[in-house]
Amino acid sequence: MLRHYDKAEQKSEKIMVPVNQLTIGMHVVDIDRPWSETTFLFQGFVIGSAEELRDVQEQCEYVYVEVTREVLAQRKAGSGSNQRGDDPTRPPPGERIKWVKKVPIEKELTRARGTFDDARGFAKNALQAIRMGMELDVEQVKQAVHECVESLLNNQDAMLFLLQIKNKDEYTAQHSMNVGTMSAAFAMHLGHPQFEVEQIGLCGMLHDIGKVKVPDEILNKPDRLTDEEMAEMNNHTTYGRNILMAKSGLFRGAIDVAYAHHERLDGSGYPRKLVKHKIPYFAQVVGIVDTYDAITSARCYKPGASPHKAIEILNKIKETHFKADLIEEFTNWMGIYPPGSLVELNTGEIAVVISVASEKDKLRPRVMVVTDAQQQQTQDEYVLNLDARPVAPDGQPYQVKRSLPTGSHGIDLGHLVERGVFGKSP
């Protein structure tokens, strides 16, 4: 419960603070809208928990906080204890949460499949509803994100594995679901607390919502877009901002991300050509994930690239498009052999990556071999833990030869999951 704050307790001054810079313990004395339009019981309160912080962030864009004159002087000098440099929303090293996997991927995969199917179906239905002029159900979006995050907290490999099940004919809905879930998982790697993980997941889920206003003939055009068509495609960021601004009860950061996820550090992005620190932190996080998923997804006008290729591309544009430290964090987290991706072994066999066997050596994952040496699919799949240095029939240790795009050699990951192949023990 929000606690009332007596403004007469100490000598202090009032400063305006964007909600994404608030922290637990701050004293809110005024807000950017009439108190009667909010759920707050008091006109002045102390933020006492993560839930209360989330309530403020969802209902306001900025608030006024009362601080002591000593703290105010520290803030002006840049030495205050709440300072986080240019990235106030990214936890500093000493405050990062280290999330651990609670259950094996095989156990979580069964439960996660239902969550995955429900969330992807919701994303598809929500976009269709908005196209038909219906309202976006904010509470449903929050619930879908929450359920995805609950699965990620158990074992994020399971949901990341399922994200590799793709259909190029349903790209926009799948992309929204993928970016939302992957952004939340990346936020976990960055050490964010759960409420911020869910906020970033929500931002990712809604980042491309403006595409419902772009004509299908432009969205799905197999040929190069004309200048006029490209301008209309780029308008999806403005359309998204307008759609989300009309919604009450929505985390305001989602509006920033919908509007700014195509901005780039060097000013080459759109729609406002923002540079460096002017780009919201959450928009940078979602922008990296958005780019990665777009590169690895097959579209009507291009095949999907391998995860290895996508990581190479991202690393070529760090510091010009995205912050180098975030790209390095993303590379360390995702790796070149993420769960659900396909790899070719040195024996010629094709395998599906199940998980990283050792965080110290991500080049030797645990895999499910699904073809023979002639790359013909087999029903005699078996698990290999490459970190254990198993030996192939020719006497050489098994190792990954190269990363492959999703769907290579006709391998249908969804069909393998339905068969229960990945429930086999190593």
Side-chain angles (χ1 to χ4, degrees):
M1 178 177 177
L2 295 172
R3 293 166 291 165
H4 176 64
Y5 173 60
D6 183 356
K7 293 188 287 184
E9 287 180 8
Q10 55 184 318
K11 294 181 179 180
S12 57
E13 293 188 27
K14 184 169 70 172
I15 62 172
M16 185 178 77
V17 179
V19 292
N20 64 357
Q21 295 183 27
L22 292 174
T23 59
I24 294 172
M26 284 188 170
H27 307 147
V28 177
V29 295
D30 203 355
I31 57 178
D32 62 353
R33 63 202 59 233
W35 289 94
S36 59
E37 294 180 3
T38 71
T39 60
F40 309 139
L41 299 179
F42 302 108
Q43 295 187 20
F45 54 83
V46 177
I47 301 174
S49 67
E51 291 72 24
E52 292 168 1
L53 176 58
R54 178 164 51 188
D55 285 342
V56 177
Q57 291 176 324
E58 288 180 347
Q59 297 181 63
C60 302
E61 293 185 39
Y62 61 88
V63 299
Y64 292 90
V65 171
E66 199 158 51
V67 297
T68 64
R69 291 173 183 171
E70 179 181 3
V71 170
L72 183 60
Q74 290 175 338
R75 288 177 62 95
K76 290 178 178 178
S79 60
S81 60
N82 287 328
Q83 295 299 309
R84 288 187 177 180
D86 292 332
D87 274 340
T89 56
R90 182 181 183 188
E95 296 179 19
R96 287 189 178 188
I97 295 175
K98 184 173 178 59
W99 298 98
V100 296
K101 297 171 183 176
K102 299 177 182 178
V103 299
I105 181 176
E106 289 84 359
K107 182 176 181 179
E108 181 59 21
L109 197 58
T110 300
R111 194 189 81 85
R113 184 63 195 269
T115 299
F116 171 84
D117 288 340
D118 289 346
R120 183 166 280 186
F122 165 75
K124 180 179 178 180
N125 294 336
L127 293 176
Q128 289 177 340
I130 296 172
R131 284 194 182 97
M132 297 171 63
M134 300 171 65
E135 287 289 313
L136 173 67
D137 190 327
V138 172
E139 292 306 316
Q140 272 198 329
V141 180
K142 291 179 183 177
Q143 185 61 31
V145 171
H146 175 74
E147 291 176 3
C148 289
V149 169
E150 286 295 310
S151 177
L152 292 172
L153 294 176
N154 286 332
N155 187 323
Q156 66 172 248
D157 287 347
M159 286 296 287
L160 295 178
F161 185 102
L162 294 171
L163 294 182
Q164 299 300 320
I165 302 174
K166 299 181 180 182
N167 181 342
K168 68 180 181 181
D169 295 326
E170 296 182 356
Y171 172 76
T172 300
Q174 289 183 154
H175 180 62
S176 297
M177 160 69 180
N178 289 6
V179 173
T181 305
M182 207 181 304
S183 295
F186 185 31
M188 288 173 60
H189 170 78
L190 293 171
H192 286 272
Q194 183 174 346
F195 79 97
E196 289 185 343
V197 168
E198 294 195 15
Q199 287 175 343
I200 293 177
L202 178 73
C203 291
M205 189 80 78
L206 297 175
H207 81 290
D208 262 352
I209 196 168
K211 285 187 175 178
V212 299
K213 300 295 185 182
V214 178
D216 285 343
E217 57 268 25
I218 294 179
L219 280 177
N220 301 317
K221 185 177 178 179
D223 304 316
R224 184 181 180 88
L225 298 180
T226 65
D227 290 345
E228 292 77 12
E229 290 169 335
M230 182 60 73
E232 176 61 15
M233 177 69 85
N234 291 354
N235 280 338
H236 80 272
T237 56
T238 302
Y239 296 149
R241 179 201 62 178
N242 294 343
I243 290 170
L244 298 182
M245 283 185 67
K247 299 303 302 177
S248 59
L250 179 69
F251 169 56
R252 311 305 289 180
I255 300 171
D256 291 337
V257 172
Y259 199 31
H261 66 277
H262 281 289
E263 301 287 1
R264 300 296 180 252
L265 296 182
D266 60 3
S268 63
Y270 63 87
R272 291 174 288 172
K273 298 190 179 299
L274 300 180
V275 297
K276 297 183 179 179
H277 65 278
K278 294 183 179 180
I279 303 172
Y281 167 71
F282 281 11
Q284 294 180 52
V285 171
V286 172
I288 291 171
V289 175
D290 172 49
T291 302
Y292 176 87
D293 190 67
I295 293 171
T296 56
S297 297
R299 299 294 308 278
C300 57
Y301 51 83
K302 75 167 186 71
S306 69
H308 187 187
K309 183 64 175 177
I311 291 295
E312 279 187 353
I313 293 172
L314 284 174
N315 276 276
K316 286 179 180 177
I317 58 177
K318 66 182 180 183
E319 294 187 338
T320 57
H321 286 52
F322 301 108
K323 284 192 172 182
D325 64 323
L326 285 179
I327 292 294
E328 288 161 7
E329 290 280 12
F330 185 84
T331 300
N332 292 336
W333 165 66
M334 180 61 68
I336 59 176
Y337 307 132
S341 62
L342 298 180
V343 294
E344 180 181 344
L345 303 179
N346 57 328
T347 57
E349 296 163 294
I350 307 300
V352 179
V353 176
I354 298 175
S355 61
V356 173
S358 170
E359 290 293 331
K360 295 181 179 179
D361 189 354
K362 293 187 176 183
L363 297 180
R364 296 180 179 276
R366 191 158 60 93
V367 303
M368 175 74 72
V369 180
V370 296
T371 78
D372 57 25
Q374 288 70 47
Q375 300 182 347
Q376 298 300 308
Q377 293 188 51
T378 174
Q379 300 241 338
D380 296 322
E381 300 92 353
Y382 62 96
V383 173
L384 279 176
N385 181 355
L386 300 183
D387 191 54
R389 308 307 200 267
V391 177
D394 64 1
Q396 297 298 315
Y398 281 99
Q399 58 185 332
V400 175
K401 179 180 179 181
R402 60 176 175 146
S403 174
L404 300 172
T406 298
S408 295
H409 301 281
I411 296 171
D412 186 334
L413 187 62
H415 177 65
L416 293 173
V417 171
E418 289 173 1
R419 280 184 48 216
V421 167
F422 300 101
K424 295 182 179 181
S425 299

